[in-house]
Amino acid sequence: MVEIIQKFKGGSLSSTNLLKNDKGEYFVRKTVSLISNREYGFQRWYSQMKRLQRYSVLFPGVFPTFLEYGLNGDEAYFDIEYFPSAINAQEYIFKCKSQDAVEVFFSNLMDVLSVLYTHEMPSSSKAIDLYLNEEIDQRLDSCIGNKKFTDFLKYKEIVFNGIKVESFISQIKDYKKMCHDFFNGSKESFTHGNLTLENILYDPKEERVVLIDPYEENIIDSDLAELSQLLQSSNSKYEIYNQKDVKISSNTISCSIDENFGINYFNERLLEYININYSSKEYFFIKLMEISQFIRMLPFKMEVDPDKMLLFYGLASKLFRDLKIEYKKSEFYV
């Protein structure tokens, strides 16, 4: 017998809960339906489970210990280690009032990530073609059947929080060209796979970082893609937007968010880290991948909140508009 102690937020098509068994032991269980939304529910859950199962052995202490998995009625589940004094990194940084606290977390996070990224493997210059097909074209195609999305795509120009931008689908050729121009497929590495701040736990007392909810289906596994996912949280404010209400009226998207000291300072440090440790060409590829993160999520958002699907499509459109402005001022623009 197990008792549900707490339901954790997060997981578009799965459920995560803190449980206690009859021995008084606490653990975390993630469940998913085996009947509904199998493509974006069970398949994603399964990829997380298998990566966690491997990584808890390959990188002990970096990921939670994997306990067991199985079937419970019409649901599949897996159980992992519980960290009672850890807090979600998004929530921790959001509440930070000092630069020092953010600095300590940032330093510990980079130390943990370096453990993954030192394990390199050869890649392919053609990998970007598969990435764009699967993570851009197929994701957009998956949403075409949604009338709200199809109607919105009729607008070549949209207004995102008061700023007029060209719809992403109207810019897709430019986007793909830039991806080809800036992609270097020489190497890949072990990665988390979905490294947003909400998928990181942090224990401030022990100054310990633990990575949760890894993701297998990335096509390209590289530190550049990982950094883009962190930027998704800090630069593009994914988690903050995701908690807000959005208003859609014809081609206009409105969703106001407040500035936050901790998130903004983390973003400053992350951009500084990228500029110091990566080339200008790699920087642009990281930013292109940041945009792709919002396209990749669209089918998941369509299933749970179509307005959020339009919100993040609009955000991707604005991000690419901003990046093109930056690109035209760079050494690469001819």
Side-chain angles (χ1 to χ4, degrees), residues 310-322:
L310 297 184
L311 168 67
F312 291 122
Y313 174 82
L315 180 54
S317 302
K318 180 185 179 296
L319 288 172
F320 189 47
R321 171 258 195 188
D322 294 345

Side-chain angles (χ1 to χ4, degrees), residues 47-111:
S47 77
Q48 290 177 344
M49 182 193 75
K50 299 311 289 186
R51 184 164 276 202
L52 263 177
Q53 188 180 32
R54 293 192 298 269
Y55 277 14
S56 66
V57 175
L58 291 172
F59 306 107
V62 175
F63 292 85
T65 301
F66 189 85
L67 302 176
E68 68 172 24
Y69 68 102
L71 178 69
N72 183 16
D74 293 332
E75 291 185 328
Y77 71 89
F78 66 76
D79 298 338
I80 57 175
E81 178 183 5
Y82 171 56
F83 299 91
S85 56
I87 185 172
N88 178 281
Q90 165 71 19
E91 296 177 10
Y92 175 76
I93 297 174
F94 192 87
K95 295 176 182 177
C96 280
K97 302 299 182 183
S98 73
Q99 292 184 0
D100 289 346
V102 178
E103 287 282 359
V104 172
F105 168 76
F106 185 84
S107 176
N108 280 284
L109 175 60
M110 293 302 137
D111 287 345

Side-chain angles (χ1 to χ4, degrees), residues 43-218:
Q43 294 300 330
R44 190 178 202 192
W45 172 94
Y46 181 78
S47 77
Q48 290 177 344
M49 182 193 75
K50 299 311 289 186
R51 184 164 276 202
L52 263 177
Q53 188 180 32
R54 293 192 298 269
Y55 277 14
S56 66
V57 175
L58 291 172
F59 306 107
V62 175
F63 292 85
T65 301
F66 189 85
L67 302 176
E68 68 172 24
Y69 68 102
L71 178 69
N72 183 16
D74 293 332
E75 291 185 328
Y77 71 89
F78 66 76
D79 298 338
I80 57 175
E81 178 183 5
Y82 171 56
F83 299 91
S85 56
I87 185 172
N88 178 281
Q90 165 71 19
E91 296 177 10
Y92 175 76
I93 297 174
F94 192 87
K95 295 176 182 177
C96 280
K97 302 299 182 183
S98 73
Q99 292 184 0
D100 289 346
V102 178
E103 287 282 359
V104 172
F105 168 76
F106 185 84
S107 176
N108 280 284
L109 175 60
M110 293 302 137
D111 287 345
V112 164
L113 295 181
S114 68
V115 174
L116 299 180
Y117 303 154
T118 53
H119 297 269
E120 295 182 352
M121 63 199 83
S123 185
S124 166
S125 61
K126 303 297 184 182
I128 191 63
D129 295 320
L130 182 59
Y131 183 89
L132 292 172
N133 183 77
E134 293 299 310
E135 304 291 25
I136 300 297
D137 294 338
Q138 291 299 320
R139 301 301 189 187
L140 290 170
D141 287 347
S142 293
C143 297
I144 294 297
N146 182 280
K147 186 177 185 302
K148 183 172 277 192
F149 187 70
T150 304
D151 288 346
F152 198 76
L153 292 185
K154 295 175 183 177
Y155 300 107
K156 183 177 181 180
E157 185 179 79
I158 60 181
V159 181
F160 185 85
N161 282 342
I163 300 174
K164 290 183 180 180
V165 300
E166 192 175 353
S167 178
F168 179 81
I169 209 162
S170 300
Q171 310 176 76
I172 200 165
K173 288 184 179 179
D174 290 342
Y175 177 81
K176 289 181 177 181
K177 182 181 184 304
M178 287 182 68
C179 285
H180 280 99
D181 289 345
F182 289 109
F183 177 65
N184 178 355
S186 61
K187 63 181 176 68
E188 296 186 33
S189 66
F190 285 117
T191 64
H192 173 280
N194 190 20
L195 195 68
T196 54
L197 287 174
E198 67 181 359
N199 288 334
I200 302 169
L201 295 180
Y202 184 58
D203 186 333
K205 292 182 179 179
E206 295 187 7
E207 296 184 359
R208 181 184 180 187
V209 169
V210 178
L211 307 182
I212 60 172
D213 282 350
Y215 185 54
E216 183 77 23
E217 305 154 37
N218 285 293

